[in-house]
Amino acid sequence: MQHKLAKSALFLAISLGLSACNDSSKTNTTATKSTPSAADAEQFVTQAQADLEKLQLPAAQAAWAYQTYINQDTAAVSAYLSEKHGSLSTQLAKQAADFNAVEVDADTRRKLDLMRNGLILPAPADPAKSERLAQITSDLEGLYGSGKYCRSENDCMRLTDMTNLMATSHDPKVLLEMWQGWRQVSVPMKALYEEEVQLANEGARELGFADISELWRGGYDMPAQDFAIELDRIWAQIKPFYDALHCHVRASLGEQYGTDVVPQDKPIPAHLLGNMWAQQWGNIYDLVKPKQKLDVIDVTEALRANNYDEVKMVKQAEGFFSSLGFAPLPETFWQRSQFSQPADRDVVCHASAWDIDDQDDLRIKMCIQITGEDFSTIHHELGHNYYQRAYKAQPLLYRTSANDGFHEAIGDTIALSITPKYLKEIGLVDNIPDASNDIGMLLKLALDKIAFVPFGLMVDQWRWKVFSGEVKPADYNQAWWELREKYQGVMAPVERPADAFDPGAKYHVPGNTPYTRYFLAHVLQFQFHKALCEKAGNTDPIHRCSIYGSKEAGAALNNMLEMGKSKTWQEALTTITGKGEMDATAILDYFAPLKDWLDEQNQNRQCGWVNEDVSATQ
């Protein structure tokens, strides 16, 4: 599964949508009092939510129009509304801070804190700087969305075509060409990104934060530094398993390409892992799979053999949620979603889920390929949609997930139930391979999910260092690759030019989408899966469990989803797992048979690499 999620309408509701273009005089009245009271705070929160709820719809509509029809006009409208929203969201955050010393009830305090901490890129108070920040964010997304690699004037390739080549080719020359070609797109982003960081840091300081890094890390119901320590703890649980997987993959690639291309004591060259960003490695399964013949289901082939098209794939994913007791998606979902790439215009193909009106106008935006990878991605995206709809009755500021990792985890939790048993139940396959074949399935899944974990961690490690000033603009690219080598054991295949800005080749950097959520999601999904399987009465090994058809599991899941952000993530987690702490041991339980197999394969191999480290602390 390719983990490719972008901003959704819930994200607009918080990053943009805690921001709305409106005459702000209504929200000014209480905050300007010299001695604000608890009643003033409650009135401020009520009015702020009312104004935001009224005005976030046009912002979401403009963002949708821009991402599904990139041109000068949609860019201008999106930038205009983004600037207005950014200005007001920052203003409301500052007004919320005026009540920091006021004693208020717990609910009002939580909403005030969410307003102050909910911004992604806080705009400076200076209108010109605010407008400039909005323009830069729009320009960066446009550069990514319209990016292409041209071998000649009449021979150009889009990202979709390039990623397909990266996924299927084993020709190192072709792989290197695609890898280098896409990174040309991000070169013009560097100066814009540097300016964006300066402006957003200015906005963060006006809110009382040291920089954007402190703001981002402070949104997890615990002190910012404690959150960084929590990431250290979780990564330390997973790292021994990742190291075993890395060792086996590197040895296998050395057999395929030669140890002169893949040295056995160094990080793996990034272009050889079957993915444009080397973030998931499932596409090289055939190069690293067990030597013995295994009966592993090819979901891509099964989809094509059963005449699945884009809509049928989405319908089947909807059917999974329906089997758990969730209501069907609204008719407008099918009318307004983008399922395939239009031939006549530029769009942002990066998969994302939207709730345009914060109620029932649910949509997904994808350029679906008929593959097993996109089949899982669709389940993931619908997980966002069902979560959005579940908390629609909450007050505006609580209409999001318990933490951002929860939103990413829900769809993936469902995807873990795409087991051979489920595939047989829906008629995609005729037979279920016996347990002796599980190593193949687990290895294929680990190549995507476990290989992803350090990438999910290091993207924001890089950004936090950039935001804090620890990494200077001249060192952006060098720091990026130092972190990739340290956490992933992956290196650039060629020396990078001085003007390179390789972080910008990953959507979430120019798209300004925080990335630690994906790291957290990869932990939470296994915790959720284990807990839901127990509620479904599962008796199979945890990696063979599917909750498809379990109304009990569906009810437990919905109870948590409906909470939104009204309670801490620790409380939300407790409702479904009985434990208020993120714990990666569920991952180790799920993949236990594979870890034993990897340890056998890695006997007498040289494992590890220079410059590896387990610390995530800022």
Side-chain angles (χ1 to χ4, degrees):
M1 184 204 68
Q2 189 172 355
H3 204 89
K4 48 183 183 179
L5 289 174
K7 294 177 185 176
S8 57
L10 72 99
F11 185 48
L12 284 167
I14 297 301
S15 68
L16 293 178
L18 276 193
S19 44
C21 58
N22 187 36
D23 179 356
S24 58
S25 59
K26 293 181 180 178
T27 54
N28 278 335
T29 55
T30 60
T32 56
K33 292 183 179 180
S34 56
T35 55
S37 66
D40 293 331
E42 293 175 14
Q43 182 182 350
F44 167 75
V45 168
T46 299
Q47 188 61 61
Q49 288 190 117
D51 290 346
L52 294 171
E53 188 156 22
K54 175 182 177 183
L55 295 163
Q56 68 182 18
L57 177 59
Q61 290 171 322
W64 175 267
Y66 174 56
Q67 293 207 17
T68 59
Y69 203 134
I70 299 173
N71 61 37
Q72 182 178 351
D73 295 328
T74 57
V77 173
S78 181
Y80 173 79
L81 285 173
S82 177
E83 188 276 324
K84 295 298 183 185
H85 284 209
S87 295
L88 183 57
S89 62
T90 302
Q91 179 184 346
L92 291 176
K94 290 176 181 176
Q95 292 175 357
D98 291 339
F99 297 98
N100 283 349
V102 179
E103 186 173 341
V104 296
D105 63 83
D107 181 68
T108 300
R109 173 54 55 199
R110 184 164 181 79
K111 289 173 180 173
L112 288 167
D113 287 346
L114 287 173
M115 275 194 276
R116 182 172 176 266
N117 288 281
L119 303 177
I120 301 301
L121 292 180
D126 184 319
K129 292 181 178 179
S130 175
E131 184 176 357
R132 176 60 182 160
L133 179 60
Q135 187 60 56
I136 290 173
T137 59
S138 178
D139 289 347
L140 285 171
E141 284 215 19
L143 284 170
Y144 190 96
S146 60
K148 62 183 76 172
Y149 162 60
C150 296
R151 289 166 164 159
S152 65
E153 185 177 348
N154 298 316
D155 182 13
C156 293
M157 303 177 70
R158 295 288 193 188
L159 178 59
T160 301
D161 298 324
M162 298 172 75
T163 54
N164 285 341
L165 260 181
M166 293 284 288
T168 56
S169 175
H170 297 320
D171 182 337
K173 291 182 179 179
V174 172
L175 295 173
L176 183 59
E177 179 192 5
M178 295 299 102
W179 190 92
Q180 289 181 292
W182 180 245
R183 280 152 185 80
Q184 294 174 11
V185 170
S186 57
V187 172
M189 298 179 188
K190 183 178 181 181
L192 289 170
Y193 194 78
E194 178 184 351
E195 186 180 359
E196 179 182 67
V197 169
Q198 292 172 346
L199 290 170
N201 266 340
E202 184 176 335
R205 287 190 292 271
E206 291 175 4
L207 290 173
F209 297 99
D211 51 55
I212 310 169
S213 166
E214 185 178 70
L215 188 158
W216 284 21
R217 289 181 291 127
Y220 290 91
D221 294 314
M222 62 174 62
Q225 187 58 29
D226 289 357
F227 179 62
I229 294 170
E230 180 75 350
L231 297 182
D232 280 345
R233 181 186 65 79
I234 297 169
W235 171 234
Q237 288 182 304
I238 303 169
K239 189 177 188 301
F241 180 31
Y242 176 80
D243 287 347
L245 180 67
H246 181 280
C247 188
H248 174 67
V249 167
R250 184 175 62 188
S252 300
L253 291 177
E255 294 175 7
Q256 171 73 18
Y257 296 108
T259 55
D260 55 330
V261 177
V262 188
Q264 296 301 290
D265 59 348
K266 294 183 179 179
I268 301 170
H271 66 308
L272 301 178
L273 289 160
N275 176 271
M276 181 62 80
W277 305 277
Q279 67 183 58
Q280 291 164 305
W281 307 345
N283 290 321
I284 62 164
Y285 171 77
D286 285 344
L287 302 183
V288 305
K289 66 184 179 182
K291 302 298 183 185
Q292 67 268 32
K293 182 176 176 57
L294 294 173
D295 185 8
V296 177
I297 295 172
D298 185 334
V299 180
T300 296
E301 177 58 33
L303 290 167
R304 293 172 180 171
N306 285 274
N307 298 314
Y308 271 70
D309 60 13
E310 295 89 345
V311 173
K312 189 175 180 180
M313 289 170 70
V314 181
K315 287 280 189 182
Q316 182 55 58
E318 179 194 33
F320 201 121
F321 287 91
S322 296
S323 81
L324 301 181
F326 289 91
L329 292 165
E331 186 60 32
T332 54
F333 172 88
W334 305 101
Q335 297 166 351
R336 299 170 183 173
S337 290
Q338 174 190 292
F339 297 141
S340 57
Q341 182 167 9
D344 62 341
R345 64 183 188 270
D346 291 332
V347 300
V348 177
C349 274
H350 195 92
S352 54
W354 300 66
D355 183 3
I356 298 295
D357 64 355
D358 226 15
Q359 290 296 309
D360 294 300
D361 190 355
L362 305 170
R363 309 178 192 182
I364 63 170
K365 175 184 62 59
M366 289 184 66
C367 300
I368 296 173
Q369 308 289 308
I370 312 301
T371 64
E373 182 178 17
D374 274 11
F375 192 54
S376 287
T377 299
I378 293 165
H379 284 74
H380 180 112
E381 297 301 337
L382 291 193
H384 283 292
N385 283 148
Y386 283 96
Y387 205 161
Q388 289 162 341
R389 187 166 64 178
Y391 55 60
K392 70 179 183 180
Q394 290 285 353
L396 176 74
L397 292 171
Y398 294 158
R399 287 184 212 148
T400 187
S401 57
N403 72 36
D404 51 9
F406 275 61
H407 236 301
E408 301 304 328
I410 293 303
D412 279 349
T413 299
I414 299 301
L416 287 176
S417 283
I418 303 178
T419 60
K421 178 182 178 181
Y422 164 61
L423 295 175
K424 183 180 180 182
E425 284 194 60
I426 64 174
L428 268 178
V429 299
D430 296 325
N431 300 302
I432 301 174
D434 63 46
S436 65
N437 294 279
D438 286 357
I439 292 299
M441 180 275 290
L442 288 170
L443 177 59
K444 195 171 182 64
L445 193 64
L447 289 169
D448 282 334
K449 291 191 178 293
I450 304 308
F452 175 83
V453 168
F455 184 80
L457 183 64
M458 64 76 49
V459 173
D460 279 351
Q461 300 299 315
W462 177 82
R463 276 195 288 207
W464 294 349
K465 292 176 183 293
V466 167
F467 294 157
S468 70
E470 180 181 343
V471 171
K472 308 299 182 186
D475 301 321
Y476 279 175
N477 221 53
Q478 178 183 339
W480 175 259
W481 284 107
E482 286 175 353
L483 287 169
R484 296 204 67 178
E485 291 184 18
K486 179 179 292 187
Y487 288 106
Q488 286 186 278
V490 167
M491 65 181 181
V494 292
E495 185 175 349
R496 304 303 295 136
D499 65 345
F501 183 57
D502 295 336
K506 178 60 184 171
Y507 168 80
H508 300 71
V509 174
N512 294 298
T513 304
Y515 212 75
T516 301
R517 60 182 65 175
Y518 302 111
F519 172 81
L520 299 176
H522 277 64
V523 177
L524 289 166
Q525 65 186 262
F526 288 96
Q527 278 190 271
F528 292 160
H529 178 68
K530 184 176 182 179
L532 292 172
C533 285
E534 290 172 356
K535 295 181 186 302
N538 171 67
T539 57
D540 293 326
I542 192 65
H543 63 271
R544 288 196 145 224
C545 168
S546 176
I547 64 169
Y548 179 70
S550 172
K551 297 296 192 295
E552 294 79 9
L557 178 60
N558 190 59
N559 287 339
M560 186 188 75
L561 301 186
E562 288 182 340
M563 293 171 66
K565 203 176 180 67
S566 62
K567 303 294 182 182
T568 66
W569 67 260
Q570 292 92 336
E571 291 175 276
L573 183 60
T574 300
T575 66
I576 199 169
T577 68
K579 181 179 179 181
E581 181 181 67
M582 287 181 280
D583 184 3
T585 58
I587 292 177
L588 306 183
D589 292 343
Y590 188 98
F591 288 103
L594 176 63
K595 178 61 164 60
D596 292 341
W597 182 84
L598 288 171
D599 289 342
E600 292 177 9
Q601 307 307 305
N602 290 333
Q603 290 180 8
N604 303 318
R605 285 174 173 169
Q606 181 176 354
C607 297
W609 62 92
V610 177
N611 192 31
E612 61 176 311
D613 188 88
V614 301
S615 176
T617 306
Q618 174 75 0

